[in-house]
Amino acid sequence: MTGVPVGVIAIDGKTSRRSYQKKNAKAPIHMVSAFAARQRLVLGQVKVAEKSNEIVAIPKLLDMLAIEGAIVTIDAMGCQREIAAKIMDKKADYILALKGNQGTLRKDVEVLAAEQKANVSRTRQSVGMRRSMAITAASRRGPPP
């Protein structure tokens, strides 16, 4: 339908424009929403407390949702061990963004990605060698009967 895999839930925070009140010194409303990408449907929302942030609101939102089997995506603000653990406890998978200010974690992921890329490259080379050996052996025998 939209080219998005079934079961992708995007979690993100947004501040409502013009929701602040200068007169009463009231901060703007900040919400964290869970959006079902393929269905284009908001599954739930939690208001972020005035003196808080998304890191506190995301676990509350996850508690409200049945996400088993889904892939949950969250920006770098939600890249927290507790959030990842909660998603796994609910039998879902996650994709969390990383930024440069996440120090050793980002470096560790870069090393892992480079190792995986090297492994894939070696596997492709060995598969290619096996194919060329199989083709050479088949051509020596002649066509199949």
Side-chain angles (χ1 to χ4, degrees):
M1 188 154 114
T2 62
V4 178
V6 176
V8 174
I9 300 170
I11 295 181
D12 197 17
K14 297 289 178 209
T15 300
S16 298
R17 291 183 65 188
R18 298 185 182 96
S19 61
Y20 64 92
Q21 294 179 0
K22 286 183 185 178
K23 188 187 238 181
N24 300 332
K26 196 168 187 179
I29 297 171
H30 190 73
M31 302 286 288
V32 175
S33 302
F35 181 75
R38 185 174 185 104
Q39 294 80 7
R40 298 182 182 196
L41 177 71
V42 175
L43 302 174
Q45 292 182 317
V46 173
K47 182 179 177 187
V48 177
E50 265 189 53
K51 301 285 182 180
S52 187
N53 61 32
E54 292 178 26
I55 296 170
V56 176
I58 291 171
K60 293 176 186 175
L61 180 60
L62 289 170
D63 286 338
M64 297 170 31
L65 302 172
I67 60 171
E68 185 173 338
I71 299 169
V72 178
T73 65
I74 306 175
D75 63 14
M77 175 69 86
C79 187
Q80 304 290 320
R81 287 184 181 124
E82 297 79 19
I83 292 172
K86 185 171 285 280
I87 293 168
M88 290 188 302
D89 289 346
K90 296 190 90 163
K91 297 184 171 104
D93 295 309
Y94 58 85
I95 299 172
L96 304 177
L98 290 172
K99 284 190 172 179
N101 65 353
Q102 290 168 312
T104 60
L105 176 60
R106 179 165 176 172
K107 289 176 186 166
D108 290 347
V109 171
E110 287 173 350
V111 168
L112 178 66
E115 288 172 354
Q116 294 302 313
K117 187 176 180 180
N119 287 342
V120 168
S121 179
R122 281 193 294 272
T123 301
R124 285 185 183 153
Q125 288 175 355
S126 66
V127 168
M129 288 173 52
R130 278 183 272 173
R131 282 188 189 149
S132 66
M133 288 170 38
I135 291 168
T136 304
S139 64
R140 287 186 186 150
R141 287 191 300 240

